[in-house]
């Protein structure tokens, strides 16, 4: 089925470990996004890529890095995980920025102990 | 002031009634607005978008936009238990580079 695929779905990390969350879309969308969702905080934008070859910081970029590998793939890396990064992470894509609706992946539930 | 604000709820509505969800936004330049539905443990799903002042209807859902008062609402007619979810309002930033989400309103439809 067409859509946004995220891996892994669940992950437990120890403090200080690193990991990369993978995201791929097959809808030929130009823009891709990484959000985190915490109880009572809503969706907060970490990084986004308006088009292939560009990336920009969102509201909460500290502790994260991203790579827009190609038009389909946008990865999120935690270099040294901290308990404050325990959250549900969603990748999303859209045809363009701003005035286009987003399609979300199923999410990654990350726990840092 | 947050850019997009919603009452967190929970909003409890009897089955078959109309559920009314509201959202206010701060940027007068916003042109388009989105409503997403998120079931517990699932990802947000786009259910409605509206660009023009007035109403837009899609099945049991109606989105209403009032740019002068800077609010957008979502009405759900003939509410069903399956409508129980969190509803997120969203609007693009002034630069239109990304969308800002409200924190969501939790809706509960009681049988």
């Amino acid at each position: 089925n067409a859509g946004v695929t995220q891996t892994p779905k669940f992950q437990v990390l120890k403090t200080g470990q690193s990991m990369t969350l993978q995201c791929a879309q097959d809808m030929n969308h130009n823009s891709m996004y990484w959000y985190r969702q915490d109880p009572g905080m809503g969706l907060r934008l970490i990084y986004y890529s308006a088009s292939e070859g560009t990336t920009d910081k969102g509201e909460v970029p500290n502790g994260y890095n991203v790579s827009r590998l190609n038009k389909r793939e946008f990865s999120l890396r935690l270099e040294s995980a901290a308990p404050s990064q325990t959250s549900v992470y969603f990748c999303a894509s859209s045809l363009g920025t701003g005035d286009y609706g987003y399609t979300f992946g199923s999410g990654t539930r990350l726990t840092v102990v | 002031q947050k850019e997009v604000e919603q009452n967190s709820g929970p909003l409890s509505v009897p089955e078959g009634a109309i559920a009314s969800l509201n959202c206010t936004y701060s940027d007068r330049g916003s042109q388009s607005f989105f409503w997403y539905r998120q079931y517990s443990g699932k990802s947000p799903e786009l259910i409605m978008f509206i660009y023009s002042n007035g109403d837009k209807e899609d099945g049991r859902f109606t989105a209403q936009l009032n740019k002068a008062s800077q609010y957008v609402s979502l009405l759900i007619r003939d509410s069903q238990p399956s409508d129980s979810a969190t509803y997120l309002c969203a609007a693009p930033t002034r630069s239109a580079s990304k969308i800002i989400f409200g924190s969501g309103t939790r809706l509960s439809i009681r049988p």
Side-chain angles (χ1 to χ4, degrees):
Chain A
N1 292 337
V4 180
T5 302
Q6 286 184 241
T7 56
K9 293 191 183 305
F10 301 94
Q11 183 72 48
V12 178
L13 288 179
K14 293 182 178 179
T15 298
Q17 286 185 319
S18 62
M19 79 162 296
T20 299
L21 281 65
Q22 307 286 353
C23 176
Q25 53 90 9
D26 58 6
M27 297 173 287
N28 202 32
H29 282 174
N30 294 304
S31 304
M32 298 186 72
Y33 312 83
W34 277 105
Y35 285 88
R36 59 178 290 175
Q37 188 173 40
D38 304 291
M41 302 292 289
L43 285 162
R44 292 186 292 169
L45 183 63
I46 305 171
Y47 272 94
Y48 67 103
S49 172
S51 60
E52 185 179 358
T54 70
T55 59
D56 285 286
K57 295 178 180 179
E59 298 173 74
V60 288
N62 291 343
Y64 306 94
N65 284 300
V66 291
S67 295
R68 183 75 183 264
L69 304 170
N70 48 54
K71 190 172 185 178
R72 292 186 62 247
E73 298 173 287
F74 188 40
S75 63
L76 178 72
R77 183 161 178 83
L78 287 69
E79 291 291 351
S80 178
S84 60
Q85 294 178 305
T86 293
S87 187
V88 179
Y89 291 84
F90 289 105
C91 177
S93 70
S94 64
L95 189 59
T97 59
D99 289 338
Y100 295 89
Y102 292 179
T103 300
F104 283 84
S106 58
T108 296
R109 187 171 295 274
L110 175 68
T111 302
V112 183
V113 297
Chain B
Q1 182 188 4
K2 291 184 180 178
E3 295 184 60
V4 178
E5 292 204 62
Q6 297 180 255
N7 188 319
S8 62
L11 176 65
S12 181
V13 173
E15 185 174 355
I18 296 175
S20 178
L21 304 162
N22 298 312
C23 171
T24 59
Y25 60 94
S26 59
D27 188 347
R28 285 192 172 275
S30 295
Q31 297 295 316
S32 53
F33 301 87
F34 305 88
W35 283 100
Y36 289 79
R37 177 178 62 200
Q38 186 174 24
Y39 292 115
S40 180
K42 302 295 185 182
S43 57
E45 171 193 15
L46 179 66
I47 56 172
M48 289 285 285
F49 62 90
I50 185 166
Y51 298 121
S52 305
N53 263 338
D55 297 359
K56 178 182 178 182
E57 189 173 316
D58 183 1
R60 296 187 295 110
F61 297 93
T62 299
Q64 299 177 318
L65 175 58
N66 184 321
K67 290 188 176 182
S69 299
Q70 294 179 247
Y71 81 77
V72 57
S73 60
L74 179 69
L75 302 179
I76 306 175
R77 292 182 300 280
D78 187 24
S79 296
Q80 302 296 310
S82 59
D83 295 326
S84 296
T86 296
Y87 289 81
L88 303 166
C89 174
T93 58
R94 179 176 289 274
S95 65
S97 61
K98 50 190 180 289
I99 287 175
I100 299 295
F101 287 84
S103 55
T105 298
R106 189 155 54 95
L107 174 66
S108 176
I109 307 299
R110 57 182 190 271

